[in-house]
Amino acid sequence: MPAARFPLLSALTTPKDLRGLTHDNLSALASEIRAFLIGTVCATGGHLGPNLGVVELSIALHRVFDSPRDTVLFDIGHQGYVHKLLTGRAEGFDRLRQAGGLSGYLARAESGHDVIENSHASTVLSYADGLAKARQLTGESGRAVVAVVGDGALTGGMCWEALNNLGGAPDRPVVIVLNDNTRSYAPTIGALADHLEQLRASAPDSVDWLLNAAGRPHGTAAGTGTTAPGAGRSQARPDGPGNREGQDGNGSAPLSDDGEGVVLPGPLPVARNLFHLLGFAYLGPVDGHHLPSLEEALSMARDLRRPVVVHAVTVKGRGYAPAEADAADCMHAVGTLDPATGRPSTAGSSPSWTSVFAGELCELGERYENIVAVTAAMPGPTGLARFGERFPHRFFDVGIAEQHAVTSAAGLALGGFHPVVAVYATFLGRAFDQVLMDVALHRLPVTFVLDRAGITGPDGPSHHGMWDLTLLGAVPGMRVGVPRDATRLRELLTEAVTHTSGPTALRFPKAAVTDDIPAYKRLGPVEVLHQSRVRDVLLVTVGPLAGPAVEAARYLEGQGIGVTVADPRWVLPVPPELTELATAHRLVVTVEDNTRAGGAGTAVARAVADAGSRVPVRVLGLPGRFIAHGTRPDILAACGLTAQGIVYSVLRARADRPHDDGGR
């Protein structure tokens, strides 16, 4: 990091360094951080928009609270890049999200300032509730617990379960910082979004008294032309605001625009809003890009010694025109970009699996009026945005609420529709009970489309979709299809949405589709992609791993080993035609990008054994551990899921040697 370009940022080694900076220094630091993020994230890819929106908020948090003595939790870690910079990790950003480099989320192994690294939304308030209980039990009342949660994440049910507990315990202090930028990926929806909009509205009693007290006139919020955030409101004690006596010295004094302490005009007016009614003190809305206001609100929240919500209004993508102008998601997550224009550095030559799905679903929507689409706040990333534009009355965004999405889809199915629920594969686990009991138990025709299945690459362990086949394999009546190419995706999606006797699921990776692989012949739903004259080995391939399997078969055939390659298409439950084919070979090797525990290979092995056959089955797949971030090709190679790795594993199996997870 060039010190000449980033003099303030390069000098930071610990959050305590922030407390010696003047207000002018802090403003300059915020500008440096934005410039640094734009340069580095455009070069590596990552979460750009969310972090540009929390620069001042992150600075204020680390000036008021004493991390890691005080615990600052983020929901989720994708908004933690500024936190990483302020805790001394700027030098690692050139390898952000690369193998061996910094994680794109928080990571406990990187820093003692990172406490949680789960990157599924709406969990942070429950972590905070548990930590507050622990602090109470151990008598560590002087260690603050702070939870940063977005308005988008607040649409998740876990948040409300936690709020119910937090608000009912006035003796357990927790500071909830509501980072309200009006969106997750897409704009935040529902009654909660309406309520937050009301709180942001410029009603006569909602003047931002913190800004006025600092001598700063109302302006615009984040250059958008909208009025600055309104009203600081709370049920704070009358002597609380501005009373700096009795501080324990862990925080720093708030700043006005001229760097002096703020003299406050008196108690905040009391507002009857949702948070207040749930038992929280409420401070805000506060301009999330004005450090004096943020620091004053956070200092008061700390001093209240009770559950409190600080409502900070921010702008996603703040300070980078291409992000602020991006109506889809404010450059939430980007690949490599030209930082001058915000456009991709290289254009993809092949369509993605997501785009093929998006186009085909729209075609099917024209043919079948009973198809409806459901998303959990991710219409763009899951490919449903196009369907929503064409059929707005048949499209439902339910917020970050996978459990509700699944059971709401069950209700739609009860009403005569065929819902298509599109989610990331890793997020389906959040709604397993609903899939099992609310959909499958009732044999309802709901189709689940699982994007980012298998290895996702740079997003790391919480985003690899490597457990869905294991989970879905336990669901009675669930049919799971895995396409190997674009043609098969279109075929399987058509079959899924016309299936009426129970649930279906399709899965595909985060990748570009490859060329179609033609079938040699078909046995029921099973397609044979390669067949030697001698039946030595049956390779059962799952989805896009068909290409490496066919390549491996050709090599083995050249070594005098007869190989058949079969793509079951519908991998669960195991088609009887596949079982019959397996029993006619001397060895069966299954290849999938799901964990080896309980996936498609396990199901094939069970089916072969249940048929009374003693043909050995060797299961290739992902190891039963959390896999770090890296590129998808590199991780698959490390797990032996390439043509070379398949050949290696087949030869080991034929020699009766044990399985090797890292087979080459």
Side-chain angles (χ1 to χ4, degrees), residues 241-273:
N243 185 357
R244 306 259 64 86
E245 295 181 2
Q247 284 192 17
D248 59 11
N250 288 334
S252 40
L255 295 173
S256 66
D257 281 345
D258 59 5
E260 301 297 328
V262 176
V263 179
L264 301 174
L268 289 84
V270 174
R272 303 295 292 181
N273 62 52

Side-chain angles (χ1 to χ4, degrees), residues 532-538 556-557 560-564 585 654:
S532 304
R533 292 185 178 182
V534 179
R535 295 187 171 189
D536 290 324
V537 180
L538 173 65
L556 290 166
E557 190 175 55
I561 301 172
V563 182
T564 304
H585 287 74
R654 282 172 55 84

Side-chain angles (χ1 to χ4, degrees), residues 172-265:
R172 288 199 293 268
V174 171
V175 176
I176 298 174
V177 180
L178 173 55
N179 174 27
D180 181 5
N181 61 19
T182 74
R183 59 194 307 135
S184 50
Y185 275 91
T188 306
I189 57 89
L192 173 65
D194 294 340
H195 182 62
L196 294 180
E197 183 178 11
Q198 292 172 359
L199 295 181
R200 294 190 303 267
S202 56
D205 66 340
S206 64
V207 176
D208 190 333
W209 69 280
L210 291 174
L211 297 186
N212 288 342
R216 174 173 176 258
H218 271 331
T220 59
T224 61
T226 60
T227 57
R233 292 175 285 187
S234 168
Q235 55 178 357
R237 62 182 186 271
D239 62 342
N243 185 357
R244 306 259 64 86
E245 295 181 2
Q247 284 192 17
D248 59 11
N250 288 334
S252 40
L255 295 173
S256 66
D257 281 345
D258 59 5
E260 301 297 328
V262 176
V263 179
L264 301 174

Side-chain angles (χ1 to χ4, degrees), residues 253-324:
L255 295 173
S256 66
D257 281 345
D258 59 5
E260 301 297 328
V262 176
V263 179
L264 301 174
L268 289 84
V270 174
R272 303 295 292 181
N273 62 52
L274 179 61
F275 302 108
H276 177 264
L277 294 173
L278 287 174
F280 293 87
Y282 173 85
L283 301 173
V286 176
D287 185 340
H289 301 296
H290 185 240
L291 274 166
S293 296
L294 284 169
E295 289 192 29
E296 183 61 30
L298 292 172
S299 296
M300 291 193 314
R302 180 196 59 207
D303 294 346
L304 283 174
R305 304 292 304 152
R306 59 163 300 143
V308 55
V309 172
V310 176
H311 183 181
V313 180
T314 64
V315 172
K316 192 173 180 179
R318 162 86 168 186
Y320 185 43
E324 291 191 45

Side-chain angles (χ1 to χ4, degrees), residues 121-122 151-161 192 398-403 430:
S122 310
D151 58 298
L154 209 59
T155 61
M158 270 190 73
C159 278
W160 295 96
E161 295 172 27
L192 173 65
V398 302
I400 303 179
E402 289 85 1
Q403 291 176 307
R430 314 187 83 187

Side-chain angles (χ1 to χ4, degrees), residues 89-100:
R89 284 172 271 179
E91 293 294 342
F93 266 71
D94 60 337
R95 298 190 62 207
L96 180 70
R97 302 169 77 242
Q98 298 176 21

